[in-house]
Short mmCIF file of all heavy atoms in Angstrom, two decimals:
data_model
loop_
_atom_site.label_atom_id
_atom_site.label_comp_id
_atom_site.label_asym_id
_atom_site.label_seq_id
_atom_site.Cartn_x
_atom_site.Cartn_y
_atom_site.Cartn_z
N HIS A 166 95.59 -39.13 -63.93
CA HIS A 166 96.49 -40.16 -63.41
C HIS A 166 96.28 -40.30 -61.88
O HIS A 166 95.84 -39.36 -61.18
CB HIS A 166 97.99 -39.90 -63.70
CG HIS A 166 98.43 -38.66 -63.10
ND1 HIS A 166 99.00 -38.59 -61.83
CD2 HIS A 166 98.65 -37.44 -63.61
CE1 HIS A 166 99.38 -37.41 -61.54
NE2 HIS A 166 99.20 -36.63 -62.67
N GLN A 171 98.29 -43.66 -65.83
CA GLN A 171 97.50 -42.62 -66.43
C GLN A 171 96.42 -43.28 -67.24
O GLN A 171 96.52 -44.35 -67.76
CB GLN A 171 98.36 -41.94 -67.57
CG GLN A 171 99.56 -41.14 -66.94
CD GLN A 171 100.51 -40.56 -67.96
OE1 GLN A 171 100.43 -40.91 -69.17
NE2 GLN A 171 101.29 -39.61 -67.53
N LEU A 173 92.72 -42.80 -69.65
CA LEU A 173 91.89 -42.06 -70.61
C LEU A 173 90.49 -42.58 -70.38
O LEU A 173 90.24 -43.81 -70.53
CB LEU A 173 92.34 -42.25 -72.00
CG LEU A 173 91.69 -41.48 -73.10
CD1 LEU A 173 91.78 -39.96 -72.86
CD2 LEU A 173 92.27 -41.76 -74.47
N PHE A 174 89.51 -41.74 -70.14
CA PHE A 174 88.15 -42.19 -69.93
C PHE A 174 87.17 -42.00 -70.98
O PHE A 174 87.25 -40.98 -71.73
CB PHE A 174 87.57 -41.36 -68.66
CG PHE A 174 88.31 -41.64 -67.37
CD1 PHE A 174 89.48 -40.97 -66.99
CD2 PHE A 174 87.89 -42.62 -66.61
CE1 PHE A 174 90.19 -41.24 -65.88
CE2 PHE A 174 88.60 -42.90 -65.34
CZ PHE A 174 89.69 -42.22 -65.01
N SER A 182 90.90 -46.67 -70.36
CA SER A 182 92.09 -47.33 -70.95
C SER A 182 93.28 -46.79 -70.07
O SER A 182 93.40 -45.61 -69.73
CB SER A 182 92.33 -46.87 -72.38
OG SER A 182 91.29 -47.20 -73.14
N TYR A 194 108.46 -53.55 -58.41
CA TYR A 194 108.94 -54.65 -59.17
C TYR A 194 107.83 -55.22 -60.11
O TYR A 194 107.94 -55.39 -61.29
CB TYR A 194 109.50 -55.65 -58.41
CG TYR A 194 109.98 -56.94 -59.13
CD1 TYR A 194 111.21 -56.96 -59.84
CD2 TYR A 194 109.24 -58.04 -59.12
CE1 TYR A 194 111.59 -58.05 -60.53
CE2 TYR A 194 109.63 -59.21 -59.75
CZ TYR A 194 110.81 -59.17 -60.45
OH TYR A 194 111.23 -60.28 -61.15
N SER A 201 89.22 -51.66 -62.23
CA SER A 201 88.50 -50.46 -62.48
C SER A 201 89.20 -49.32 -61.75
O SER A 201 90.09 -49.50 -61.03
CB SER A 201 87.05 -50.56 -61.92
OG SER A 201 87.08 -50.74 -60.57
N GLU A 208 82.64 -45.35 -61.04
CA GLU A 208 83.57 -46.36 -61.39
C GLU A 208 83.55 -46.66 -62.86
O GLU A 208 82.52 -46.69 -63.46
CB GLU A 208 83.11 -47.75 -60.63
CG GLU A 208 84.13 -48.84 -60.91
CD GLU A 208 83.80 -50.05 -60.07
OE1 GLU A 208 82.66 -50.25 -59.55
OE2 GLU A 208 84.71 -50.91 -59.82
N ILE A 211 88.27 -50.79 -66.62
CA ILE A 211 89.41 -50.67 -67.55
C ILE A 211 89.31 -51.73 -68.51
O ILE A 211 89.30 -52.97 -68.29
CB ILE A 211 90.73 -50.80 -66.74
CG1 ILE A 211 90.78 -49.63 -65.74
CG2 ILE A 211 91.94 -50.78 -67.70
CD1 ILE A 211 91.87 -49.72 -64.72
N PHE A 219 102.96 -48.73 -71.82
CA PHE A 219 104.08 -49.22 -71.08
C PHE A 219 105.30 -49.12 -72.04
O PHE A 219 105.53 -50.06 -72.83
CB PHE A 219 103.92 -50.62 -70.49
CG PHE A 219 102.87 -50.75 -69.51
CD1 PHE A 219 101.52 -50.86 -69.80
CD2 PHE A 219 103.24 -50.65 -68.12
CE1 PHE A 219 100.53 -50.98 -68.86
CE2 PHE A 219 102.23 -50.78 -67.16
CZ PHE A 219 100.83 -50.83 -67.56
N CYS A 223 108.98 -47.11 -68.46
CA CYS A 223 108.20 -47.82 -67.32
C CYS A 223 109.27 -48.80 -66.59
O CYS A 223 109.88 -49.49 -67.26
CB CYS A 223 107.05 -48.72 -67.93
SG CYS A 223 106.33 -49.69 -66.72
N VAL A 226 108.93 -54.60 -64.19
CA VAL A 226 109.49 -55.69 -64.96
C VAL A 226 108.65 -56.93 -65.05
O VAL A 226 108.84 -57.84 -65.79
CB VAL A 226 110.95 -56.19 -64.45
CG1 VAL A 226 111.97 -55.00 -64.67
CG2 VAL A 226 110.89 -56.49 -62.97
N ILE A 228 104.31 -57.73 -65.13
CA ILE A 228 102.93 -57.15 -65.13
C ILE A 228 102.00 -58.33 -64.85
O ILE A 228 102.07 -59.42 -65.40
CB ILE A 228 102.57 -56.54 -66.54
CG1 ILE A 228 103.55 -55.49 -66.89
CG2 ILE A 228 101.09 -56.11 -66.57
CD1 ILE A 228 103.52 -54.23 -66.09
N GLU A 240 96.42 -52.74 -77.13
CA GLU A 240 96.54 -52.03 -78.47
C GLU A 240 97.99 -52.09 -78.98
O GLU A 240 98.96 -52.48 -78.31
CB GLU A 240 96.05 -50.61 -78.29
CG GLU A 240 94.59 -50.58 -78.00
CD GLU A 240 94.08 -49.13 -78.02
OE1 GLU A 240 95.00 -48.08 -77.81
OE2 GLU A 240 92.91 -48.85 -78.23
N LYS A 241 98.07 -51.64 -80.23
CA LYS A 241 99.36 -51.62 -80.99
C LYS A 241 100.29 -50.88 -80.11
O LYS A 241 100.11 -49.74 -79.44
CB LYS A 241 99.04 -50.78 -82.26
CG LYS A 241 100.20 -50.51 -83.15
CD LYS A 241 99.87 -49.80 -84.35
CE LYS A 241 101.03 -49.57 -85.29
NZ LYS A 241 100.62 -48.93 -86.53
N ASN A 251 108.11 -60.39 -67.72
CA ASN A 251 107.11 -61.44 -67.45
C ASN A 251 105.80 -60.77 -67.44
O ASN A 251 105.63 -59.71 -66.80
CB ASN A 251 107.47 -61.99 -66.10
CG ASN A 251 106.46 -63.11 -65.62
OD1 ASN A 251 106.12 -63.93 -66.48
ND2 ASN A 251 106.08 -63.05 -64.39
N ILE A 261 95.64 -59.07 -79.01
CA ILE A 261 96.99 -58.59 -78.80
C ILE A 261 97.30 -57.78 -80.07
O ILE A 261 97.38 -58.38 -81.09
CB ILE A 261 98.04 -59.53 -78.45
CG1 ILE A 261 97.64 -60.33 -77.20
CG2 ILE A 261 99.37 -58.92 -78.31
CD1 ILE A 261 98.57 -61.42 -76.76
N GLU A 263 99.25 -55.13 -82.97
CA GLU A 263 100.45 -55.07 -83.75
C GLU A 263 101.61 -54.45 -82.87
O GLU A 263 101.39 -53.55 -82.26
CB GLU A 263 100.23 -54.21 -84.93
CG GLU A 263 101.32 -54.16 -85.95
CD GLU A 263 100.91 -53.26 -87.18
OE1 GLU A 263 99.74 -53.23 -87.57
OE2 GLU A 263 101.85 -52.71 -87.71
N THR A 267 106.92 -55.79 -79.14
CA THR A 267 108.09 -55.71 -79.85
C THR A 267 109.19 -54.95 -79.21
O THR A 267 108.89 -53.92 -78.56
CB THR A 267 107.79 -55.03 -81.26
OG1 THR A 267 106.90 -55.81 -81.95
CG2 THR A 267 109.04 -54.84 -82.03
N PHE A 299 102.58 -70.84 -75.15
CA PHE A 299 101.30 -71.66 -75.27
C PHE A 299 100.29 -70.75 -76.05
O PHE A 299 100.00 -69.63 -75.48
CB PHE A 299 100.79 -72.10 -73.92
CG PHE A 299 99.35 -72.49 -73.90
CD1 PHE A 299 99.05 -73.76 -74.51
CD2 PHE A 299 98.31 -71.71 -73.41
CE1 PHE A 299 97.67 -74.15 -74.57
CE2 PHE A 299 97.00 -72.12 -73.53
CZ PHE A 299 96.72 -73.31 -74.12
N PRO A 302 93.63 -72.25 -77.28
CA PRO A 302 92.84 -72.92 -78.34
C PRO A 302 91.80 -71.99 -79.03
O PRO A 302 91.42 -72.28 -80.14
CB PRO A 302 92.08 -74.01 -77.62
CG PRO A 302 92.22 -73.76 -76.17
CD PRO A 302 93.37 -72.81 -76.01
N GLN A 303 91.36 -70.89 -78.50
CA GLN A 303 90.46 -70.00 -79.13
C GLN A 303 91.13 -69.05 -80.14
O GLN A 303 90.35 -68.40 -80.91
CB GLN A 303 89.74 -69.09 -78.04
CG GLN A 303 88.95 -69.86 -77.05
CD GLN A 303 87.77 -70.55 -77.68
OE1 GLN A 303 87.29 -70.19 -78.71
NE2 GLN A 303 87.36 -71.68 -76.94
N LYS A 308 98.88 -63.31 -87.03
CA LYS A 308 99.34 -62.51 -88.23
C LYS A 308 100.83 -62.78 -88.44
O LYS A 308 101.55 -63.18 -87.67
CB LYS A 308 99.07 -61.08 -88.09
CG LYS A 308 97.52 -60.79 -87.86
CD LYS A 308 96.70 -60.95 -89.08
CE LYS A 308 95.26 -60.71 -88.91
NZ LYS A 308 94.73 -59.59 -89.33
N THR A 319 112.09 -71.60 -78.82
CA THR A 319 112.32 -73.01 -79.31
C THR A 319 111.06 -73.88 -79.32
O THR A 319 110.99 -74.87 -79.93
CB THR A 319 113.30 -73.71 -78.44
OG1 THR A 319 112.90 -73.64 -77.05
CG2 THR A 319 114.69 -72.98 -78.59
#
Side-chain angles (χ1 to χ4, degrees):
H166 66 82
Q171 295 174 343
L173 185 59
F174 293 89
S182 298
Y194 173 78
S201 63
E208 185 173 20
I211 299 170
F219 293 86
C223 175
V226 293
I228 304 290
E240 290 185 340
K241 180 179 181 176
N251 181 41
I261 297 175
E263 185 178 329
T267 297
F299 163 72
Q303 298 295 337
K308 302 285 177 103
T319 57

